[in-house]
Amino acid sequence: MKAPGAAGNDGDTKGSGGTGPTAPEGGGSAPETDGVEVESELEADGGAGPGADGGAGPGADGGAGSGRGLSRRRLGARLLALGGVLVLQAALPGSAGASGGPAERRALQGLRLRYGSARQAGLLEKHLEGVADEARRFLGPSPEHPYYAGAVVLAGRGRTVALHRAMGDAVRYADYDGRTDRVREFPAAQRIAMAEDTVFDLASLSKLFTSLLAVQQMERGRLELEAPVHRYLPEFTGGGKESITVRQLLTHTSGLRSWAPFYQEPTRAGQLRLLWSVRPQETPGTVYRYSDLNLIALQLLLERITGHTLDLLLQDEITAPLGMHRTRYNPPLSWRRVTAATEVQRPPWSGLDRGLVWGEVHDENAYALGGVAGHAGVFGTAWDLAILARTLLDGGVYAGKRILRPASVELLFTDYNTAFPGDDHGLGFELYQHWYMGAMATPHSAGHTGFTGTSLVLDPSTDSFLILLGNSVHPVRTWRAGSAPRVAVGNRFARAVPVRTKHGGPAWYSGMETGGSGTLTLPPLTPTTGAARLRCAVWWDTVPGAGALHLEASADGQAWEPLPFTTVRTTGGAAEQWPQGSASGWSGRIWHRLEAPLAAWAGREVRLRFHHAAQGRYVGRGAYVDVLRVSEPAHLLFAEDRPADASRIEATGWSRSAD
């Protein structure tokens, strides 16, 4: 939870609950551009794809796909190689109106998000419905109190929003007694049910908007990524702050502490003095620490170089061009009845005594700063966030309106924190974080969370997006901990994106159960020559260090040993060696050809098996195995497509799945 008055740190800890002021938040038509890569026997992903015609939603019309620019790593390496004197404008190819991939060209033509079916989005209806079921489950004891009073979940792929559901209450609790841990609820007639267009305090999702505004200024040549902050804010000095760069603010590597009690300063001048007096706790660039101070400093920098306040910048540069009409700072009183309530704020769990916070920013520091802050304060709806997601997946353009160039979007999704494994971070966006993305987490996934119970995840590899907005601090922040609903819906949505075989039939699938383990065992075989080989197709996605696909061999079916193998991407390239007999991490959403020599077993009986293990709290999308064959030059020892051979496969924890 937030420390009393910890207006900074508007988030949850990885895998826990954010327990103090240092806790980080942290028959449709075929797909158009689906990011799918195929091989001669199998292809990853297929069937009905995003972009098929669907029912009209707000801002109807659309097609699907996702533009691709420079790779994240290549662009990041190019920029960092410039040695800290980067003016972004000079590094970005093309002009603001330059056309990119098919998705970007469609976006420039004015295509918009629309509602459609799961099939039209290229998603599996059963698992997509499961996303809503998972979100709804946390309206009950989680484990003692409800995780949130209500929530809105939205999921889509391409330009099709295939799921948009509201559940529970936007306003339920009138008061909370911290001494007894009891609440006073509004009478049933006075409660307000959650609606699909309910407005939420987005909390730290505000940081994404501040980051977008900063990158816009880089495009225009007003701001340099590697420049020291004090070049633009001369007051930002002392104690080593002179060496903090703009990039370090955006990637939380400045060394600044997580927050400071701005709400204790009654004047703007006092609040500024507090920020100027803060000293880095570590040498800038040597540590990752999530800090609201980074984005507050960036807000002041942006206001200084543009001459406009952050709320006006948000409106003029992002929300108005994109048509995000329900996204803003300081919503008017007329919005209150359509806004989700947050916390009953009283000491000691809050630094302020405000009673029920409803229609005003929850974060104490943002409230003290007048409701407009770089780290918190933006209110918005799930649909508006979907527009933002679609804009970024399409390279910075939506409905013909461009707010960023494609290469600028790549900066948002480029990992600048390679020196801090596990804390992958682009400019403002968190990357590859299973602790709230669940199985949606890939090296390309980007997103953020907000302390009030909000989250946004984008996956360019599947052109999909997931938004979960909950009022999880209603009635009090201590009723919830961790990111269990975010992980649950992320897992189920990842399962809704199919993995297809080219032959259209099923493959062996490990499943994606947390802590699950299973084996896929071939019958005993006796190779007669040293040229015998196991060959098959494999696809895997596991949590690095906590899950893997193992290939093992045994003489007696009791003692198993690793069997080294190689894989080659079906799109080509060099073979990858797996000398320990196991593959883990993310395989690129592409099928691989696997080959394992059996020379050591020539003349001996051997049993072969695949073993999938998922350990820890989080899982990936799982593993698939298909077209199993064991052969030598003159003899086919085993072929999965021969019914007699297939019937002898022993599957424990694996099943046949066509998706």
Side-chain angles (χ1 to χ4, degrees):
M1 73 177 197
K2 282 185 180 177
N9 195 22
D10 193 27
D12 297 323
T13 52
K14 295 183 181 181
S16 64
T19 55
T22 60
E25 183 176 351
S29 62
E32 293 184 278
T33 50
D34 209 32
V36 174
E37 301 181 74
V38 302
E39 62 152 314
S40 59
E41 296 180 278
L42 304 116
E43 65 181 6
D45 211 345
D53 291 338
D61 205 356
S66 174
R68 301 291 185 268
L70 297 170
S71 76
R72 177 187 303 174
R73 297 285 182 179
R74 286 191 291 117
L75 183 62
R78 177 186 300 179
L79 298 179
L80 293 177
L82 296 178
V85 294
L86 169 69
V87 176
L88 178 60
Q89 187 177 34
L92 293 171
S95 65
S99 62
E104 185 190 348
R105 289 195 293 272
R106 285 192 294 273
L108 284 169
Q109 293 167 4
L111 302 180
R112 301 170 182 267
L113 284 171
R114 52 42 190 313
Y115 287 120
S117 68
R119 182 176 178 82
Q120 289 162 342
L123 298 169
L124 303 172
E125 183 174 3
K126 176 178 71 173
H127 297 293
L128 187 64
E129 283 298 316
V131 173
D133 293 340
E134 290 290 348
R136 192 173 294 108
R137 182 163 60 90
F138 290 90
L139 294 172
S142 308
E144 180 180 358
H145 300 293
Y147 187 91
Y148 37 50
V152 175
V153 61
L154 183 151
R157 194 174 183 206
R159 282 182 189 80
T160 301
V161 173
L163 178 72
H164 192 185
R165 300 283 173 78
M167 57 201 70
D169 293 315
V171 183
R172 176 175 177 177
Y173 303 103
D175 206 350
Y176 171 76
D177 186 341
R179 295 168 299 177
T180 62
D181 192 31
R182 292 184 178 179
V183 295
R184 179 170 61 85
E185 298 187 4
F186 284 107
Q190 295 180 24
R191 296 182 192 175
I192 299 177
M194 197 68 77
E196 291 174 355
D197 60 353
T198 294
V199 175
F200 285 80
D201 178 340
L202 299 179
S204 277
L205 293 189
S206 306
K207 293 178 171 69
L208 301 182
F209 293 101
T210 308
S211 302
L212 292 172
L213 292 168
V215 174
Q216 285 179 335
Q217 295 305 312
M218 295 177 197
E219 279 192 351
R220 298 167 190 176
R222 294 178 177 174
L223 185 62
E224 295 183 16
L225 186 61
E226 298 296 342
V229 176
H230 75 84
R231 177 187 298 179
Y232 310 99
L233 283 177
E235 305 93 330
F236 196 77
T237 58
K241 289 209 300 290
E242 296 84 356
S243 63
I244 294 176
T245 65
V246 174
R247 174 171 60 85
Q248 289 165 351
L249 295 182
L250 285 161
T251 58
H252 296 287
T253 55
S254 66
L256 295 176
R257 65 178 187 254
S258 296
W259 72 288
F262 293 95
Y263 64 89
Q264 293 180 351
E265 297 290 340
T267 66
R268 181 73 168 182
Q271 294 165 352
L272 291 175
R273 282 195 301 270
L274 177 58
L275 181 62
W276 306 145
S277 68
V278 169
R279 302 291 184 262
Q281 293 182 323
E282 289 87 14
T283 301
T286 65
V287 66
Y288 172 86
R289 180 187 297 108
Y290 182 87
S291 172
D292 286 352
L293 301 185
N294 291 323
L295 276 296
I296 293 173
L298 188 62
Q299 169 195 358
L300 298 175
L301 184 158
L302 290 170
E303 292 179 342
R304 184 72 58 86
I305 66 176
T306 65
H308 298 288
T309 57
L310 194 65
D311 54 340
L312 291 178
L313 289 173
L314 174 68
Q315 177 182 332
D316 294 344
E317 304 290 351
I318 299 177
T319 60
L322 297 181
M324 297 170 62
H325 301 305
R326 284 291 187 174
T327 301
R328 59 168 294 166
Y329 285 101
N330 285 329
L333 184 61
S334 61
W335 285 23
R336 192 168 189 253
R337 297 275 314 167
V338 296
T339 300
T342 56
E343 188 175 35
V344 178
Q345 287 195 349
R346 290 196 176 88
W349 59 88
S350 172
L352 297 175
D353 191 349
R354 300 167 63 193
L356 177 62
V357 178
W358 179 21
E360 293 182 317
V361 63
H362 167 267
D363 183 275
E364 294 97 329
N365 275 344
Y367 176 74
L369 292 168
V372 179
H375 71 292
V378 176
F379 286 70
T381 65
W383 185 269
D384 274 10
L385 287 176
I387 291 175
L388 179 67
R390 191 66 258 158
T391 301
L392 297 175
L393 289 169
D394 280 344
V397 62
Y398 179 80
K401 301 294 186 180
R402 178 175 295 286
I403 64 166
L404 284 175
R405 300 177 188 172
S408 298
V409 175
E410 288 289 341
L411 291 181
L412 301 171
F413 300 163
T414 295
D415 182 18
Y416 288 94
N417 284 2
T418 54
F420 310 106
D423 291 316
D424 304 29
H425 218 288
L427 299 187
F429 281 81
E430 297 170 335
L431 312 173
Y432 204 14
Q433 299 297 316
H434 286 87
W435 68 273
Y436 71 89
M437 297 178 180
M440 281 191 74
T442 76
H444 300 287
S445 297
H448 215 285
T449 63
F451 187 81
T452 52
T454 60
S455 61
L456 165 69
V457 182
L458 316 177
D459 180 14
S461 72
T462 59
D463 198 29
S464 60
F465 47 93
L466 175 64
I467 295 154
L468 179 64
L469 305 180
N471 53 354
S472 65
V473 295
H474 184 55
V476 67
R477 65 192 75 184
T478 55
W479 270 21
R480 68 89 194 266
S483 284
R486 296 165 177 149
V487 172
V489 299
N491 287 347
R492 202 62 184 267
F493 186 55
R495 183 65 181 90
V497 180
V499 175
R500 302 293 195 193
T501 60
K502 185 176 182 180
H503 55 70
W508 287 105
Y509 177 46
S510 69
M512 48 188 294
E513 176 136 357
T514 303
S517 178
T519 56
L520 187 68
T521 308
L522 274 59
L525 303 169
T526 304
T528 59
T529 73
R533 297 283 190 274
L534 165 69
R535 293 185 176 91
C536 64
V538 294
W539 188 109
W540 71 90
D541 173 25
T542 70
V543 179
L549 175 65
H550 305 273
L551 179 58
E552 300 169 329
S554 173
D556 58 7
Q558 301 297 318
W560 295 88
E561 61 186 61
L563 182 62
F565 59 88
T566 61
T567 58
V568 178
R569 295 167 66 97
T570 57
T571 52
E576 189 169 2
Q577 306 292 326
W578 305 94
Q580 303 304 314
S582 65
S584 66
W586 191 67
S587 64
R589 200 168 180 82
I590 293 170
W591 285 90
H592 295 240
R593 299 183 184 91
L594 178 147
E595 182 172 309
L598 301 175
W601 296 91
R604 296 193 294 152
E605 185 176 87
V606 62
R607 301 198 75 179
L608 305 172
R609 76 177 187 183
F610 284 95
H611 175 206
H612 173 260
Q615 303 167 346
R617 303 178 62 179
Y618 311 114
V619 296
R621 182 61 172 76
Y624 291 81
V625 175
D626 200 16
V627 227
L628 282 157
R629 284 180 171 80
V630 181
S631 63
E632 45 196 5
H635 188 200
L636 184 60
L637 299 173
F638 177 91
E640 184 186 357
D641 54 0
R642 296 192 303 206
D645 285 348
S647 67
R648 300 172 65 198
I649 295 176
E650 298 176 9
T652 302
W654 290 66
S655 62
R656 298 288 281 170
S657 175
D659 49 33

